[in-house]
Amino acid sequence: MLKAFLTAARGPTVCLGRCFSSEVSGAVSKLAGFSSPPFSTEASLYVHWPYCLKRCSYCNFNKYIPRSDNQDVMLECLQRETETLLKLSQVSRITSVFFGGGTPSLAHPAAIAAVLETVARHAGLSEEAEVTLEVNPTPIGSSKLENFLHAGVNRFSIGVQSLRDDDLKVLGRDHNTQHALQTIAEARRLCPGRVSVDVMFGRPGQSVASWELELDELLSVCDDHVSLYQLTLERGTQLFSQVQKGQLSVPSDDITAVMYESARRILQNRGYLQYEVSNFARNGAISKHNMSYWKASQYLGVGPGAHGRFVPHGEGGVCREARTQTLEPDVWVREVQQRGHGTRRRIPLTHLGLLEEVLVMGLRLIDGITHQHWQLFSPRADLHQILSSSSEVQDLQQTGLLILDDRGLRCSWQGLALMDSMLPTLLLELEAHITQGLQQQARVSGGPHHPGAPAAGQGVWRPTSPRGSSSRPGCPA
Amino acid sequence: MQLSLIKPQGCATPFLRHLLDFRVYQTRQRSQSCNIACTVIRHRWMKRAPVFCTHITTNKMISTQADKESIDMSKFPVERIRNFSIIAHIDHGKSTLADRLLEITGAITTTDKNKQVLDKLQVERERGITVKAQTASLFYKYQGQTYLLNLIDTPGHVDFSYEVSRSISACQGVLLIVDANQGIQAQTVANFYLAFEAQLTIIPVINKIDLKNADPERVEKQIEKVFDIPTEECIRISAKLGTNVEQVLQEVVKRLPPGVVANIALFGGYLSKGDRIVSAYLGKSYEVNELGLLRPDEHPTDRLYAGQVGYVIAGMKEVKEAQIGDTLYHQKHPVEALPGFKPAKAMVFAGMYPMDQADYSALRSAMEKLTLNDSSVTVQRDSSLALGAGWRLGFLGLLHMEVFNQRLEQEYNASVIVTAPTVPYKAILSSAKLIKEHGKEEITIVNPAQFPDRSVVKEYLEPMVMGTIITPDDYTGKIMSICLNRRGVQKNMVYIDDHRVMMKYLFPLNEIVVDFYDLLKSMSSGYASFDYEDAGYQAAHVIKMDILLNGKPVEELTTIVHKDRAYSAGKAMCERLQDAIPRQMFEIAVQAAIGSKVIARETIKAYKKNVLAKCYGGDITRKMKLLKKQAEGKKKMRYIGTVQVPKDAFINVLKRKDK
């Protein structure tokens, strides 16, 4: 009883903001260019191919070594789930597609084409839409690139990881430096200006000097986009246990910090602008797909273990949900065959939850979060209102790590590397502001009233389920 | 009729309960008289009750219990009542034996799940220890007669010997449990003497005979040598498997004298539902709404007669009304209050403050409930510039302090800052002005912040203890060296069997109070045991040491140290703080200082990089969860200036690690 009453008291408050943005989102989306508004009819699409030929020693991601050739079943299910989720989200345009894995370059190019056709059939997929495929730089992967291009892929992301054969062995990769160089060259020939390379630092036994040299070599062969990642030791991986046992040692935190800084400097000198914590581009070749994550736009996740963030308009939903598909491919296949999708978990995002994601993802960008962008999600509380009075935030500004000005909120060059130390502070301020606002609203709205019975003066408030589906109440407060 | 409150006890009762119920047992034997005297050992209240409601629906209470079977307590004359306690060194199997006894007598059903049935507190189950003495009434048929056996399960850790001594005083006999593998340990000796001095019948029980390395014969010989009890009197059992446990009950009936002293000493009277009883302390009268036995859950009866352990629910409205040591008597027959128990002596003092001053009154209420429930904690109001208003509490030992803190957090959801524990030092003042101020020359200092300067003091005194260590002789060398390191002076050393040595050391209390026990255990692979008793005061050259983080003193860590140990103690504290405080966005200087003089320094280097490389395939959820957890954790951080310190860092820092 008590809980119901609280929800009722809070309901209108949240919806005020949400319904408002929902109504104006169309207009705003045109103004804001490609920074997709939160409640539009657009989304990006992530497709997960769960299979790998071999297990990398550092990887704890959702991947499986296939026991048998089941590409046909997999393809059929990816198509089916794509269709289901497109219908559910009712998006009319897919802005970008990303085939990740696993090793999606193991898929038949025809399979990639079929998924893209499905997208085109059920939603718009324009010619310009970015379609990225993750590629393992093996000779087989390399030989298929042209076919992938014909299938509709227009951007390759190549998992180079290292240009040192010994290190590639330690990492358990199934390619060598020679293969990587050949794949980069082939991809650049096919897709000039739209090739990205992934490279990893903080590897076992790596020194700052060797890293700088290696990065230099890479930059002399690569295209316009580089993603660099620090190797993270994940529990349960082979590498983790090797380091635990003392068989391998990874550089200390201080050393990897130096590696990161020197890489940022080298990339900048070579004309690559850092636009996100791990991403660098020249000639404006930024990844639009990843950008949509950092801008907290909607995205659909298809395939085993894929994640999505979208409003299930198709079943009368009004709030964005965090969705996760079933992890294990065999189970996922069964579920898709039985009910059209393998969504395992769906969590409606609260107003606060959504703003937290906007904050955490947005700060990863070198440009941070602009006031206009924030306003799309939080029309009532701007960043100054939320953060300016906090002495801790002021400290961060004074020490030059964080910038809050007329443009918006962002990390300084130095602050970007320390972002995760600042986020808890910012998240707490946000939470305090939002919950305080809710309490005030509850007081203003005059206490308890029956759910669904709008209080006088709550002009924009309306029943939260337009289709009267009682199973989907308003977004949680 | 007379009832005396000695020990209220709060338990996490799953159901709401507005009434206090009292578990009673009697403490003294009296010959025929028309009074009932009973002693309340604990009471319960609802968990996290914000206030105790004054309007109580007692009818409801009674009706919910009405279906329970009633027991005619008049069937148990004194001759068929035995009150006994189980005492043992920690981990020798008291609670397991108690579980078996409860099963055999049908108090609880026999399942694998009966583990530490009497350990009802969350802290007890988590730590696998008994903190509070618990009582249960058992019915046991022996040679055609049904006996009422009142069992009191007691704590094992040295900190809680007060609890043990109180339990013992309510019994006629004890089961002295000794591990068949470990043999006699320091607390076995301490507990034996408690029982021996109380002139109780002692039944030695050798437990864990099922263990591979069990050597009951050796243990029997030890018992004979140390306690002068003939080897034939020992009962060999395995509480775990139930071996010979039945025999234990038989021996309880056979060997223990009848339980005249028990619960409500019926001197011609009895206590029934509806009686009006009066608290001698408050002068208030109450109606007995319910009374009954504990087996181990409440079992209502209509009456309680002499020699019976049970509980009473009377219409007490506030926890405060159930004062420890109070005497309750029949309204029509006023009596003099029974003499209360001697309060336990606090050995360790620490400040406790709310994390947030806004929580002061909530914490005060929690503290009041918990201290009432645990009478061995002494409470004084205290305040500090840095920490605000709080309390200075006295505990029996460090474990006791940790348990108290844990119970505050678990049972009352309170979040507290705990300062470094200190022992009660004394100072003989030289300044006439100060002597006048205090009204005496000798003052006791339980708060390092109030440590008087050397210039106004003739002499400082530190509390001493006599420690008993029992260990296999393989470890004597190592142990003697750590004792020396702790300023211990050896007073005695004897072999209690071929391999085991008992040593007596005079220690300054502050040297052993925090972590000596843990150290001794780890140094001896768990074989050495330790117990101690008060040994007065000795003059000592002690000084106050501050710990600073980026120049700001950490009031929690201000300690009083021996002059000769100041440098090493300061250095060790700084090193441990360096490990305990996570790196932050700026450099942190960790310093130890005496007055304005810095005697040690460590540096915590600033974070250079802390940002996640990538969120795989749009998996924000995992990252968000981690960040939210960090944000939550941040709420619980203590800030010294701008430095964030995890709450548990301080207590960890205080635990010394001798090399």
Side-chain angles (χ1 to χ4, degrees), chain B residues 41 52 109 157 179 230 280 286 288 422 425 644:
Chain B
I41 54 165
F52 284 89
T109 49
H157 192 274
D179 184 307
Y286 306 94
V288 174
T422 182
Y425 288 96
Q644 289 177 17

Side-chain angles (χ1 to χ4, degrees), chain A residues 276-277 293-294 296 353-365 369 374 409 419-420 423-424 426-427 430, chain B residues 611-612 615 620 623-624 627-628:
Chain A
E276 193 259 359
V277 171
Y293 295 151
W294 301 316
L354 181 59
L355 290 184
E356 284 170 345
E357 293 195 354
V358 173
L359 181 75
V360 168
M361 299 311 281
L363 271 187
R364 295 181 66 87
L365 294 169
I369 303 157
W374 183 257
L409 179 73
M419 194 181 108
D420 286 3
L423 281 173
L426 300 175
L427 287 170
L430 177 63
Chain B
V611 60
L612 182 79
C615 299
I620 310 174
K623 178 66 181 166
M624 288 304 302
L627 284 167
K628 293 288 284 176

Side-chain angles (χ1 to χ4, degrees), chain A residues 217-292:
Chain A
E217 285 171 38
L218 184 70
L219 294 183
S220 61
V221 296
C222 77
D223 199 32
D224 287 347
H225 193 279
V226 177
S227 298
L228 49 100
Y229 300 119
Q230 182 180 330
L231 172 66
T232 35
L233 289 177
E234 303 279 2
R235 258 172 202 291
T237 60
Q238 190 195 334
L239 198 63
F240 182 89
S241 75
Q242 284 172 312
V243 172
Q244 285 298 87
K245 286 181 203 148
Q247 294 162 355
L248 289 172
S249 74
V250 287
S252 71
D253 289 351
D254 285 346
I255 300 293
T256 53
V258 173
M259 288 177 174
Y260 182 62
E261 284 312 311
S262 78
R264 293 172 83 185
R265 202 187 55 245
I266 292 169
L267 280 152
Q268 193 176 34
N269 292 341
R270 300 282 291 256
Y272 291 84
L273 296 182
Q274 181 174 22
Y275 65 99
E276 193 259 359
V277 171
S278 306
N279 287 284
F280 301 78
R282 65 180 180 194
N283 304 325
I286 60 170
S287 160
K288 289 182 186 164
H289 182 84
N290 283 333
M291 199 60 148
S292 69

Side-chain angles (χ1 to χ4, degrees), chain B residues 212-232:
Chain B
K212 210 171 74 191
N213 297 323
D215 188 356
E217 215 156 295
R218 196 193 87 225
V219 177
E220 280 169 1
K221 278 186 191 137
Q222 282 181 358
I223 289 173
E224 187 162 35
K225 176 159 184 186
V226 179
F227 302 139
D228 205 18
I229 301 176
T231 49
E232 311 78 68

